[in-house]
Amino acid sequence: MKTSRTLFRIPAAVGVFPLILAVASCSRGGSAQKSAVSPDAGEAGDAENAEGGCNTVPAAGSSLALGSPLPDLGFAGDGDSGIVSIGSFAQPCASNAQLLVLRVVAGWCGTCRWHSSNTATLLPADVASQVRIVDLLLANDINQLALSADLASYQAHGDGSVAALADSAFSLAPFFDPRPALPLYLIVDARTLTPVLALSNPAPDTVTAAFRQTLAQLDGQPSPAPVAPVKYDDRFTSDQWDMIRDMQLTQPPPPDPSNHVADDPGAAALGLTFFETFKLSPQQVGCRSCHNPALLLTDGKEVPPEGAKPATRNVPSIVLAGYRKLLGWAGIADSLWMLAVLPVELDFEYASTRLFAAHAIFANYRAEYEAIFGQMPPLDDTTRFPATGMPGTPEWEAMAPADQDAVTRVLVNMGKSLAAFLRSLRVTESPLDAYASGQLDALTAQQKDGLLAFFTAGCAQCHYGPRLTDGSFHNLRFPTGRQDHTADPGRSDGIPFLLASEFRQTGKYSDAIPATPPIDPIVTPNLVGAFKTPDLRGVAFTLPFGHGGTYGGLTSVIEAHRTAGLPAGSTLTMGEAERFLVSFDPTLEPAIITFLDALRLDMVNPPP
Ligand code: HEC
Ligand code: HEC
């Protein structure tokens, strides 16, 4: 590829159309040739009159519209290729029709991942040589606007057959509805660089048929006869059916090398003790105060009143917390043990200190602790270990650094035991699991219609896989849960919190730094006011909903997706709504709710 195209550095922003254009080599003329072309229409060659003069690209247009040549767009390539101009994909001299397919995708998007990893099936032999697909990446898997550095990991999800370029500006937006479902396909006549068709999350059969028909049309051939699309269980297209099968929850939580007791039953038993106790907090608060086993480990309240101070966010179910990579609504922790450490010192939870908690463990659970983690520091020496204190308090700052470290390790080991306990929880098979494993009568007809509606309404972009989540962050403009009604910045506060923490997976309290340590997250504008996509397993039983707990039922929270949350100007939220929330037909809502009911679960081994 790189040898047959010439790359020019041009600004990536839409609306900037410099006079120097990239020029493709002539496919008939032998060696590559370059020439500068004025964007002034009429001066440049095009495929129609390419006879003998086929070493120029078509003139750049100035508007983004079907049927008019593309402007001189540029997209960020990987490290070596810098900015790649759209002109470098032109094939002005091709003797038969050639398509350039710009496929707009995001790293977090489940439907996009299906298309990227099944590109080969979308390109059967009769079209493969005439269609070139280029993925334009908008954002990475945690919804940071895409940089060149994100291209390799996106391509790792795919089947490796297509080039990927970064387009964080979503240059092709004018071709699509304001709130389309990803992936998007812009089919371009590569000889004239003129877009001819735009599709939003098309079925695989539709994509292949569109390629065949467009090629025939451009070559003046009769349109090929339409092929009847394959439907699974009389409803689902092949991509949907694959995604349904991927919704089965069959595996235990993935390993966590940063916690050496992650799967140790003794540590899990100690973790249960810590989960149940109220002794680690001077306010008599415990994990169980807010994570009630009878309510799938939530508290059923909007925001928890059980802590030492009013909280600001809804209590998520933590039955499946062992599966999550980033924890908390804003992704403040990169391991489960790190998240389990935090409640001790947060003022809306225990409002305790690590010294207070370490003393309580020493006094009440010393033997159990030492059986797993070895000797505790001599906490009975109260001159070295004051009764209470944490970083920032005078008692703590006066301590010897080695003693501080020893106390922090007690807190960390408490977190690692709690994580072992939460990782040991298992859930019952849901009707969806049975259906996805091939038991076609496990869902009712209404639930199947609901599952289809779930795809139609664009839900599966973000809610997919075994827990029906992308694990990413999106702004849905849901109302704040803060009692003073100020908007909650969500992810844009969560990132600096995580980066400043001593408890990261890459820090000194981690038992093993991951082989490929995660790249430090960054705040991009779309993450202001963004929150983590919740799991949907068991969702019908964990109301109320949303990060602020402001939606009392499934109907209202689904309706809030449809309308993209609070309108512009509301002070209860901030930032811009995710643009890939589909404005679907509201009559789909009852069916979707019926489907969500099929995600019911129970804990197999609930805490007593
Ligand atoms: C005062 C109520 C309260 C107490 C006590 C409490 N939690 Fe939570 N928990 C919450 C709230 C609220 C959140 C969401 C906070 C956020 O994301 O900002 C949460 C989040 C979590 C999460 C992250 C879940 C996810 O979706 O990623 C885990 C895990 C968790 N808590 C475990 C615990 C453990 C273990 C304890 C005891 C050490 C505990 N919690 C004590 C209220 C509480
Ligand atoms: C762009 C990604 C995205 C899409 C598409 C999407 N969701 Fe969500 N969903 C989220 C995020 C993010 C939240 C949490 C937002 C918040 O609280 O601020 C959420 C919250 C929810 C909740 C509340 C769960 C809870 O525990 O609070 C439900 C239910 C839900 N979504 C269902 C759906 C359905 C049904 C669809 C399709 C109509 C859908 N979602 C489409 C990202 C998405």
Side-chain angles (χ1 to χ4, degrees), residues 329 458-459 462-463 476 478 531 533-534 545-547 561 578 584 592:
W329 283 105
C459 313
C462 302
H463 296 285
L476 269 51
F478 283 5
F531 293 87
T533 311
F545 303 119
H547 70 269
H561 281 69
E578 175 65 67
F584 54 89
I592 294 175

Side-chain angles (χ1 to χ4, degrees), residues 355-444:
L355 264 170
F356 185 96
H359 278 290
I361 293 171
F362 191 79
N364 298 288
Y365 311 111
R366 183 174 175 185
E368 298 92 317
Y369 177 99
E370 292 191 340
I372 314 266
F373 297 107
Q375 209 180 0
M376 292 195 80
L379 282 141
D380 42 359
D381 180 348
T382 49
T383 52
R384 278 171 66 192
F385 299 99
T388 184
M390 62 190 233
T393 66
E395 302 86 341
W396 179 265
E397 300 305 336
M399 284 170 67
D403 288 347
Q404 292 175 339
D405 185 61
V407 170
T408 301
R409 281 184 194 278
V410 173
L411 183 77
V412 164
N413 288 336
M414 176 212 70
K416 288 178 179 169
S417 321
L418 280 162
F421 158 62
L422 290 171
R423 288 170 60 84
S424 73
L425 295 173
R426 292 291 176 273
V427 297
T428 49
E429 190 188 70
S430 70
L432 177 69
D433 292 298
Y435 181 68
S437 73
Q439 204 182 305
L440 294 187
D441 59 358
L443 293 186
T444 64

Side-chain angles (χ1 to χ4, degrees), residues 117-129:
S117 48
N118 290 278
T119 301
T121 65
L122 300 167
L123 288 176
D126 57 314
V127 295
S129 67

Side-chain angles (χ1 to χ4, degrees), residues 285-287 290-291 313 316 324 327-329 339 348-350 532:
V285 179
C287 307
C290 303
H291 297 287
R313 296 189 187 143
R324 297 181 189 144
L327 291 107
W329 283 105
L339 193 297
F348 72 92
E349 298 188 285
Y350 288 14
K532 195 173 67 181

